[in-house]
């Protein structure tokens, strides 16, 4: 993936920190309510923003322009991407993964990680990735390219939280929340050694 972007200007090291943090936190979210049987949740978190890599590789000028306009206008990045390219990074990533015959869980996650309620399959993993993505962005771990300022605990108000935790008792939700916050505190140290 890193070779695909060539010399397209973007803080790629920090981008990978964000992706790895999202993968680790996705595993933490899933693990808070079920045992994990394979690596699909981790890989889904790792590749959720693959569309940004594809966009930077195939459309470097449009990629740069979308991020410039996003920085200047503070409008939602996906909206700016659609205006400039006709497609956002989520859809572009899903198309890329589908074209390469990768598993449906990765395709659904790339496409719907901002809107897990729209996922027709694997909604729990997609929801976990949404929460993990927001957690890492709120904590300022790495750089996703999305500069929207997130409020404290905003990740607990997104559709992904309802998908995963609405049926759990309040005590279970509180335990999950506390565990995720502890994991979030450890992540910068873990990532410094990885990326």
């Amino acid at each position: 993936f890193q070779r695909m972007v060539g010399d397209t200007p973007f803080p790629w090291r920090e981008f990978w920190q964000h992706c790895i943090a999202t993968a680790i936190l996705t595993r933490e979210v899933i693990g808070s309510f079920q045992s994990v049987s394979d690596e699909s949740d981790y890989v889904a978190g790792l590749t959720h923003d693959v569309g940004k890599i594809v966009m930077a590789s195939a459309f470097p000028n449009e990629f740069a322009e979308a991020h410039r306009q996003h920085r200047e206008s503070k409008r939602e990045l996906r909206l700016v991407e659609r205006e400039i390219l006709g497609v956002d990074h989520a859809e572009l990533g899903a198309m890329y993964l589908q074209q390469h015959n990768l598993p449906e869980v990765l395709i659904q996650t790339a496409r719907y990680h901002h809107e897990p309620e729209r996922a027709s399959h694997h909604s729990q993993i997609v929801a976990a990735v949404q929460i993990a993505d927001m957690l890492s962005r709120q904590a300022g771990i790495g750089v996703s390219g999305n500069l929207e300022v997130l409020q404290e605990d905003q990740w607990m108000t997104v559709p992904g939280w309802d998908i995963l935790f609405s049926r759990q008792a309040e005590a279970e939700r509180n335990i999950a929340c506390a565990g995720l916050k502890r994991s979030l505190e450890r992540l910068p140290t873990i990532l410094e050694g990885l990326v």
Side-chain angles (χ1 to χ4, degrees), residues 18-97:
H18 166 75
C19 292
I20 294 168
T22 301
I24 292 169
L25 288 168
T26 298
R27 171 58 53 97
E28 295 287 329
V29 172
I30 292 289
S32 69
F33 66 90
Q34 72 182 34
S35 60
V36 180
S37 60
D38 62 23
E39 300 296 319
S40 59
D41 59 325
Y42 183 87
V43 177
L46 188 63
T47 61
H48 75 284
D49 270 342
V50 70
K52 292 178 182 178
I53 297 167
V54 174
M55 191 179 293
S57 174
F59 309 103
N61 295 333
E62 291 83 355
F63 175 83
E65 180 62 17
H67 285 273
R68 184 191 68 74
Q69 285 188 27
H70 173 61
R71 277 190 312 276
E72 290 177 3
S73 70
K74 307 291 189 244
R75 291 182 303 134
E76 183 183 354
L77 179 60
R78 290 187 312 140
L79 176 64
V80 175
E81 291 170 342
R82 279 186 236 129
E83 288 173 0
I84 291 173
L85 198 57
V87 65
D88 64 30
H89 72 272
E91 186 61 30
L92 194 59
M95 291 175 0
Y96 176 84
L97 295 171

Side-chain angles (χ1 to χ4, degrees), residues 2 15 21 70 73 76 90 104 108 119 128 144 194-195:
Q2 188 60 42
F15 172 79
H70 173 61
S73 70
E76 183 183 354
E104 183 67 22
Q108 289 279 305
S144 71
L194 291 176
V195 182

Side-chain angles (χ1 to χ4, degrees), residues 27 29 33 37 41 59 68 74 101 114 122-123 125 131 134 148 159-160 171-172 176 186:
R27 171 58 53 97
V29 172
F33 66 90
S37 60
D41 59 325
F59 309 103
R68 184 191 68 74
K74 307 291 189 244
N101 298 315
H114 293 287
H122 310 287
S123 61
I125 290 177
I131 293 167
M134 292 191 76
E148 175 190 3
E172 292 172 318
R186 293 189 311 262

